[in-house]
Amino acid sequence: MSNWYEAISEKTDYILQEIYKHPFIKDLMEGTLSKEVFNFYINQDSIYLAEYKKILAEVGIRCEDDQDTQFFLGSATGIIHVEDALHENFLTGEERTTQASPTCELYISYLSRIVHTKSLEEGLAAVLPCFTIYKEVGDYILANQNNEGENPYQDWINTYGGEAFANSVKKAVDITNKLASEASPERIEKMNEAFEKASKLEWMFWDSAYNKEAWKV
């Protein structure tokens, strides 16, 4: 398959459209998202990223191509540093939590299981939506907002709608496409399942933040 990502993007576009329509994204774009909800999100994202960088490092270690390895190890440090700085900016003086929400715990656990127990191709497909969906959301907001100079969340928006992040996303997609081009139909199907499920978990992550999801008991 020459362009696996293009095919799976078409198949899962319905999830992306639901993310665009979610009130978290709409309110974020309008700058009306409550500070309490955004702080909940940033807290959970910090917890998620602390584990995601380890997952990216594991993906990198499993890559056979040295440049691919270097990219994912670099992503585990470089991109995370950018996001950590963003979190520090928004969480200054705010209450922090170290407890993952049920959805955050589920997402982390799912990615870790796939990356550690399944094929490299499945692992790549599972970690990819965190790259691609954030880029799509950043681009979507930049293209549709009319309050760029006044939005309190503009630094967040610019981080994911920026060129530097887009370059990283392209590299991650290119690596995954390369491996997919040599994969069996059975493995492609597993990759599709992993990408689709992780994409749904991205929607759930936004939704859980908007509802300030807590453990029921």
Side-chain angles (χ1 to χ4, degrees):
M1 180 173 291
S2 58
N3 197 327
W4 168 83
Y5 175 67
E6 188 175 301
I8 193 60
S9 292
E10 289 181 13
K11 182 181 178 184
T12 58
D13 184 63
Y14 73 97
I15 302 171
L16 191 59
Q17 297 306 316
E18 289 298 319
I19 290 172
Y20 290 159
K21 291 189 294 185
H22 197 282
F24 184 103
I25 301 302
K26 291 175 72 175
D27 291 356
L28 185 73
M29 180 167 65
E30 292 167 5
T32 58
L33 187 69
S34 82
K35 193 173 181 182
E36 190 179 7
V37 167
F38 189 74
N39 287 344
F40 182 98
Y41 160 76
I42 289 290
N43 262 300
Q44 292 302 313
D45 201 37
S46 293
I47 294 168
Y48 169 86
L49 288 172
E51 298 303 317
Y52 185 66
K53 63 186 177 186
K54 299 174 191 175
I55 290 166
L56 287 183
E58 178 64 24
V59 168
I61 290 166
R62 294 186 64 189
C63 289
E64 293 185 9
D65 185 292
D66 288 347
Q67 289 188 332
D68 296 349
T69 297
Q70 188 57 50
F71 168 75
F72 283 107
L73 293 180
S75 295
T77 54
I79 293 174
I80 302 303
H81 285 161
V82 171
E83 294 177 329
D84 281 348
L86 201 62
H87 292 164
E88 288 298 323
N89 180 38
F90 282 109
L91 286 176
T92 300
E94 299 295 337
E95 184 179 344
R96 303 189 186 209
T97 180
T98 57
Q99 184 182 57
S101 68
T103 294
C104 183
E105 189 76 56
L106 174 64
Y107 196 1
I108 290 166
S109 298
Y110 174 71
L111 292 183
S112 183
R113 178 174 68 83
I114 296 298
V115 166
H116 285 92
T117 69
K118 303 298 182 181
S119 69
L120 172 60
E121 291 86 349
E122 282 177 73
L124 286 166
V127 302
L128 199 57
C130 191
F131 280 90
T132 59
I133 287 177
Y134 269 74
K135 176 192 176 297
E136 295 293 347
V137 167
D139 289 349
Y140 173 79
I141 293 176
L142 283 175
N144 290 280
Q145 70 176 149
N146 52 19
N147 59 351
E148 192 167 339
E150 304 161 359
N151 193 316
Y153 307 117
Q154 198 64 45
D155 284 349
W156 185 98
I157 295 164
N158 291 342
T159 295
Y160 297 109
E163 186 177 348
F165 189 65
N167 290 337
S168 292
V169 173
K170 182 180 184 304
K171 181 64 176 173
V173 168
D174 287 347
I175 292 170
T176 310
N177 269 340
K178 179 178 66 176
L179 270 73
S181 69
E182 301 169 356
S184 67
E186 293 77 17
R187 184 151 292 179
I188 291 293
E189 190 56 39
K190 292 292 185 183
M191 290 178 70
N192 290 347
E193 290 174 13
F195 185 91
E196 188 163 17
K197 189 169 286 185
S199 297
K200 289 178 178 179
L201 283 162
E202 283 290 333
W203 180 93
M204 290 172 64
F205 197 88
W206 302 112
D207 189 64
S208 65
Y210 195 74
N211 294 302
K212 293 183 290 184
E213 180 188 57
W215 294 87
K216 301 295 185 184
V217 292

